Amino acid sequence: MMYDVHEPRVLIVGGGLVGLTAALFLRYHGVPSLLVERRATTSPQPKARRINIRTMELFDQIGIGETVLDAARDLSAHQAMAAGPTLARATRLPFTLPGGMPDWAAITPSTACLCAQDLLEPTLRTLATERGCDIRFGVECTEFTQDTTGVTATLRSADGDPRRMRVSYLIAADGAASPIRERLGITRSGRGTLGRAVNVYFHAELSNLVRGREFNLCQIENDRAPGAFMSVDGARRWIFSTSHDIDRPVRDWPRALRIAIGEPDVDLEVVSVLPWEPGMFVADRYRDGRIFLAGDAAHVMPPYAAAGANTGIHDVHNLAWKLAAVLRGAAGPGLLDTYHTERHPVGWFTADQSSVRTADLRTLAHRSTDGTPLADPIAMILGQRYPSGAFIDDDSPHTLTHLDLTGQPGTRVPHLPLPDGRSTLDLPGPGFALLTGPQADHWQLSKRLPDALRETGCAATPPDASSTERRADHRIPPRPRTYVHTLDEKWCVAAGITRSGALLLRPDQIVAWRTPTAPADPATALDSALDRILAEPQKR
């Protein structure tokens, strides 16, 4: 065996949506990583398709949102739900939310989309490679050990000798069965298995049949072949999902599909038949020393609006800036404990909410299977609040019965369009940002303030990269030069501060600290807040 000469700081095991986005987020923060995936290529199955608003906000932050939207163009008109006795006779359902339809432009600058996983994964892989990420498919992590200073992993390719490498940390994004989680002995809790189902992926030219009634999901309401159709490209690629007669032989599925379609002579080809079991299984620990679980390795949940995939992407967005800060020496190692503290409650709540949503598209957002109160769907995506973690709580109220983002620490910063066309969401990252009210002279005049913020910011390229490499790496957004942003009174009202107050934003757009009015010594107060947030001892 041999050691790599140029060793990355983080090893990512798993090349699905979560692993690939982990590599991209780490690259954004200047952390070199290596991703290994035992499969030879990305997933051939459409699987998850919904890319929610919060995920698109994160993609926009690192500059890949437009590329993802371009990959999703085939389904751009297929956002509706439909239902009927057959696909041919189905009609669109009115789209309603418990609290009514929001003003989307007022709550987010980003746009959700539908993009089949077998299109999104190659897109992310290409983006990661273009940005300098080390992505290796056909390579398996066969062994790993950890100690107080790092992780030693053994990697094996199909046609090569085992190779041992040393990294600082490991991210396990290796799926629901997660060999890494099992090896660590991390148990899981939750509602368990919730039934059985099957997804039939097939090809059939149905664009003429659905024209004018384009849909994301179409519920089939008959006794012979009940289930739901999912659009993969809106024309020829489709998935039929059902929990009815799931053990029928593969040869019998074309007949069942034609009954559900309502066209007995339609020409179709069954590509695959995949039985699966919806369920809720959440890891009891997201961290074991220097190893972190993310995505399905950390939480398995029913496929309500692709909540599992999106939540996994949010996991690694939370983790990436923390790893970067610790690796740069800008934060204490205790900051990494907040990954579990913050993400485990969100993973549990999202998995539980997904588990009690009915399968009936007519009541999906309005009724639970067992009487569990349902969170507002938009609040579930954008409005969750961490109960504790890398922020300073101010005991302000918060609810998930509607979208409640008013600057509470532990929540995503409220979106407010800025005069230059940006959003308040664009101000943090890769470092921290301080947003102040218009009476901000005392903040701006503090010479120590920019230094305090700069210490916590993360370079866009690795700290040891040469100046030539930094100049050549034009695809990575540059480190921001402005750390303090003065906003107007409208912002103050939205953020719960006075004209002299301020919000400190983490690199992941989460409010870390709120001071409704200016402290007597702003620089000292900010330094103290940063020390607490970044798990560092008081140094000043």
Side-chain angles (χ1 to χ4, degrees):
M1 294 192 180
M2 60 182 295
Y3 282 84
D4 282 331
V5 176
H6 303 290
E7 296 174 343
R9 306 302 302 276
V10 179
L11 174 64
I12 303 165
V13 179
L17 295 179
V18 174
L20 289 165
T21 51
L24 283 161
F25 291 145
L26 286 168
R27 183 60 179 155
Y28 173 71
H29 287 289
V31 177
S33 66
L34 167 64
L35 180 151
V36 297
E37 166 56 55
R38 61 183 178 82
R39 298 172 302 170
T41 186
T42 51
S43 174
Q45 298 292 331
K47 295 184 181 179
R49 298 168 304 121
R50 170 65 65 181
I51 312 301
N52 71 28
I53 297 172
R54 182 59 182 149
T55 299
M56 287 304 299
E57 289 178 350
L58 310 186
F59 286 170
D60 285 338
Q61 183 186 42
I62 64 171
I64 67 171
E66 288 300 322
T67 303
V68 171
L69 288 176
D70 185 60
R73 61 187 179 277
D74 286 345
L75 289 178
S76 60
H78 292 69
Q79 301 293 329
M81 305 293 188
T86 64
L87 182 61
R89 295 170 58 192
T91 58
R92 281 183 173 177
L93 299 174
F95 181 68
T96 61
L97 292 172
M101 292 299 292
D103 177 358
W104 298 106
I107 64 175
T108 180
S110 300
T111 303
C113 67
L114 293 170
C115 185
Q117 191 165 335
D118 61 345
L119 293 179
L120 183 55
E121 283 187 9
T123 299
L124 295 175
R125 181 181 179 181
T126 298
L127 286 165
T129 301
E130 289 176 349
R131 293 188 173 205
C133 301
D134 191 349
I135 308 294
R136 303 185 195 178
F137 276 65
V139 177
E140 183 177 7
C141 176
T142 59
E143 297 287 341
F144 64 89
T145 58
Q146 62 173 319
D147 53 43
T148 57
T149 62
V151 179
T152 302
T154 301
L155 308 180
R156 183 191 295 271
S157 61
D159 55 355
D161 294 329
R163 171 167 293 190
R164 184 179 295 164
M165 67 177 306
R166 183 79 173 169
V167 293
S168 299
Y169 298 99
L170 186 154
I171 298 175
D174 53 343
S178 184
I180 293 176
R181 185 193 64 236
E182 293 298 307
R183 173 81 176 270
L184 293 171
I186 296 176
T187 55
R188 296 189 295 175
S189 304
R191 294 174 180 262
T193 300
L194 300 173
R196 298 175 65 219
V198 64
N199 283 0
V200 184
Y201 176 32
F202 69 99
H203 292 168
E205 181 52 64
L206 302 178
S207 56
N208 290 333
L209 187 64
V210 303
R211 184 168 292 116
R213 299 179 296 118
E214 291 84 1
F215 60 82
N216 168 17
L217 297 172
C218 179
Q219 182 166 287
I220 303 304
E221 303 166 325
N222 68 54
D223 294 333
R224 298 175 64 196
F229 286 101
M230 294 177 271
S231 297
V232 177
D233 65 359
R236 181 167 175 74
R237 301 203 299 149
W238 310 87
I239 294 173
F240 182 69
S241 184
T242 182
S243 57
H244 175 75
D245 201 7
I246 65 174
D247 294 320
R248 75 179 82 211
V250 174
R251 66 177 180 273
D252 292 345
W253 277 109
R255 179 173 180 272
L257 291 172
R258 292 185 177 100
I259 292 172
I261 293 169
E263 293 286 341
D265 299 323
V266 67
D267 185 31
L268 60 84
E269 174 193 2
V270 173
V271 179
S272 65
V273 178
L274 297 176
W276 59 284
E277 294 183 353
M280 175 188 173
F281 302 91
V282 181
D284 295 318
R285 290 182 289 123
Y286 280 20
R287 180 187 186 188
D288 185 293
R290 291 176 170 267
I291 300 173
F292 303 87
L293 306 184
D296 286 350
H299 43 69
V300 173
M301 61 192 75
Y304 166 70
N310 286 280
T311 303
I313 291 170
H314 307 168
D315 290 340
V316 290
H317 186 255
N318 177 288
L319 181 59
W321 77 267
K322 295 175 180 178
L323 286 171
V326 171
L327 287 167
R328 291 186 66 249
L335 176 64
L336 298 178
D337 290 332
T338 67
Y339 172 64
H340 171 87
T341 304
E342 294 180 349
R343 294 306 302 169
H344 182 269
V346 169
W348 181 277
F349 182 79
T350 305
D352 195 55
Q353 285 280 305
S354 298
S355 298
V356 300
R357 303 271 164 169
T358 71
D360 188 343
L361 297 183
R362 299 181 186 274
T363 60
L364 185 63
H366 303 271
R367 184 186 307 163
S368 69
T369 57
D370 63 358
T372 299
L374 295 181
D376 178 87
I378 305 303
M380 235 177 94
I381 294 170
L382 293 178
Q384 296 206 43
R385 184 180 190 177
Y386 295 139
S388 62
F391 59 92
I392 299 173
D393 197 4
D394 64 359
D395 297 319
S396 51
H398 178 259
T399 183
L400 286 174
T401 60
H402 59 273
L403 186 61
D404 181 23
L405 295 176
T406 56
Q408 307 99 318
T411 65
R412 188 269 250 162
V413 63
H415 158 63
L416 187 71
L418 302 177
D420 62 3
R422 294 185 299 167
S423 161
T424 45
L425 289 164
D426 296 321
L427 302 181
F432 280 61
L434 190 77
L435 279 53
T436 74
Q439 190 179 326
D441 290 348
H442 44 288
W443 294 105
Q444 299 284 14
L445 293 175
S446 169
K447 294 182 180 179
R448 293 171 61 192
L449 177 60
D451 291 335
L453 289 171
R454 188 172 294 113
E455 286 178 5
T456 66
C458 299
T461 51
D464 56 350
S466 69
S467 58
T468 301
E469 288 173 329
R470 291 192 184 100
R471 288 194 300 271
D473 197 5
H474 61 278
R475 300 182 186 88
I476 305 300
R479 180 175 174 175
R481 296 183 178 179
T482 302
Y483 300 88
V484 183
H485 305 270
T486 302
L487 303 180
D488 60 18
E489 292 192 45
K490 181 179 179 181
W491 159 251
C492 294
V493 172
I497 62 175
T498 68
R499 290 170 54 86
S500 69
L503 290 188
L504 179 65
L505 305 185
R506 303 185 334 191
D508 59 353
Q509 305 168 334
I510 299 295
V511 178
W513 177 57
R514 174 166 64 177
T515 175
T517 59
D521 184 346
T524 299
L526 178 66
D527 290 346
S528 177
L530 284 166
D531 282 343
R532 290 176 61 186
I533 293 159
L534 295 170
E536 289 191 307
Q538 294 287 338
K539 297 182 296 186
R540 302 175 178 89

